[in-house]
Amino acid sequence: MATWVLIGDEHIFRQGQSVAGQVFSYRKIEDIEQVDDENEVYLIDLHTLNPEQYKLGTLSVDCEKACGEVLEYALKLAKKQRLNGVVYAPLNKEALYRGGYHFKDEIHFFASLLDCTEGFSEINVMGDLWVTRVTSHVPLKEVASLITKERVGRTIRFAHDILSKAGIQQPSIAVAAFNPHAGDGGLMGMEEIQAISPAIKDALEMGIRVEGPYPADTIYLRLNTKPFDCLVGMYHDQAQTGMKLLGFNRGVTISGGLPVVVTTPAHGTAFDISGQGAANPVAMINAMKVAIKLAGF
């Protein structure tokens, strides 16, 4: 499906093979220019860590400093168009921050490296369902102030553009309400009246297929009666909880709106099972497949 270049530390990769009980051949190279056979798997060893330096399943600043260095190396290659996309394994945001990469999440780290200042956001894929949100990694107490017509409209357009690039013709988008019962006509909040509904109206006038706002506690149930391609939530857990219940080990997170294709499994680092050989690879496989699709292959 693609030519895969593994980037990291060969010691770590060998340790991972041992834990998983899986071995396959690869060709070690020093530079991306040495990739010359689409049927081979390549490895660029950055010599970032030694397994003797850390303990599996424990937050490590050294590990996340190395993780940041590997991501920086890969993204710079992609920025130079030497890679068509980057698929990365789950990482720990706290450790990445402690490792010297002072961003609130990895997408802002990526955006900084790629000189991207706006228009980027995470979007998740679970089978045929895509999910994104107006706000993401912010404290819940700040969410209400960030639900504006402009932000909701920008997120709807972002979802439409990403799905269109993935080959979905005229994607259908369902928008979740912010307040209980979609605000009950203003009795439980004005965000639906003042921000969400006007943004949906503007998007409809642009030719985007979008509906809502629908009460968040039942919006996923609509998939059984009136399926949609993408759900736009107002905040992180509102969107993510339902998606992860649909299939925690299958979801993919896309760093959308960047000049480079970047995907990862939607689940976390799972320190509790590290080193046990118990990890489910399906989400990683799906992240690889989604990257291929977004890269246009």
Side-chain angles (χ1 to χ4, degrees), residues 119 123 130-132 152-175 203-204 206-210 229-232 294:
I123 187 164
W130 298 60
V131 178
T132 190
V152 175
R154 185 164 64 241
T155 306
I156 293 171
R157 295 191 298 275
F158 166 79
H160 174 81
D161 291 345
I162 292 290
L163 270 69
S164 298
K165 289 177 181 176
I168 301 173
Q169 301 296 321
Q170 284 296 303
S172 58
I173 300 169
V175 180
L204 285 168
M206 296 176 189
I208 297 174
R209 292 177 60 199
V210 57
D229 298 308
C230 183
L231 183 151
V232 171
L294 291 174

Side-chain angles (χ1 to χ4, degrees), residues 181 214-221:
H181 308 165
Y214 297 121
D217 59 353
T218 57
I219 193 167
Y220 278 95
L221 298 177

Side-chain angles (χ1 to χ4, degrees), residues 36-250:
D36 57 11
D37 186 343
E38 64 182 19
N39 296 314
E40 286 204 71
V41 175
Y42 295 87
L43 184 142
I44 298 177
D45 185 1
L46 298 184
H47 306 283
T48 51
L49 279 173
N50 187 316
E52 296 178 359
Q53 295 176 313
Y54 61 86
K55 181 181 178 182
L56 288 173
T58 303
L59 188 147
S60 166
V61 172
D62 288 338
C63 286
E64 285 304 342
K65 180 177 182 294
C67 177
E69 290 170 353
V70 169
L71 285 167
E72 190 168 354
Y73 184 95
L75 286 164
K76 284 181 177 178
L77 285 180
K79 186 177 180 181
K80 295 176 183 176
Q81 300 183 333
R82 302 308 303 150
L83 295 171
N84 295 105
V86 174
V87 183
Y88 66 100
L91 58 81
N92 185 287
K93 293 177 178 61
E94 178 189 356
L96 186 69
Y97 190 92
R98 291 187 183 185
Y101 293 88
H102 296 155
F103 300 89
K104 63 181 180 179
D105 54 28
E106 61 266 40
I107 193 171
H108 285 84
F109 169 35
F110 302 159
S112 176
L113 279 175
L114 298 169
D115 302 319
C116 186
T117 58
E118 60 182 17
F120 58 88
S121 181
E122 286 188 357
I123 187 164
N124 298 105
V125 185
M126 177 71 68
D128 293 330
L129 177 65
W130 298 60
V131 178
T132 190
R133 60 258 184 185
V134 175
T135 66
S136 189
H137 300 124
V138 298
L140 197 55
K141 66 180 180 180
E142 297 177 13
V143 172
S145 66
L146 298 173
I147 305 300
T148 64
K149 176 184 174 184
E150 291 72 21
R151 291 178 69 98
V152 175
R154 185 164 64 241
T155 306
I156 293 171
R157 295 191 298 275
F158 166 79
H160 174 81
D161 291 345
I162 292 290
L163 270 69
S164 298
K165 289 177 181 176
I168 301 173
Q169 301 296 321
Q170 284 296 303
S172 58
I173 300 169
V175 180
F178 175 61
N179 296 296
H181 308 165
D184 270 345
L187 292 175
M188 294 192 188
M190 296 297 291
E191 284 79 8
E192 287 75 20
I193 294 171
Q194 295 178 347
I196 304 173
S197 291
I200 291 172
K201 181 175 180 292
D202 285 354
L204 285 168
E205 291 175 355
M206 296 176 189
I208 297 174
R209 292 177 60 199
V210 57
E211 296 181 352
Y214 297 121
D217 59 353
T218 57
I219 193 167
Y220 278 95
L221 298 177
R222 297 182 66 84
L223 288 169
N224 298 320
T225 57
K226 192 175 181 182
F228 47 85
D229 298 308
C230 183
L231 183 151
V232 171
M234 293 299 116
Y235 56 93
H236 184 279
D237 287 10
Q238 183 192 65
Q240 296 296 90
T241 301
M243 188 204 76
K244 290 186 176 181
L245 283 171
L246 288 174
F248 180 73
N249 287 317
R250 296 188 291 118

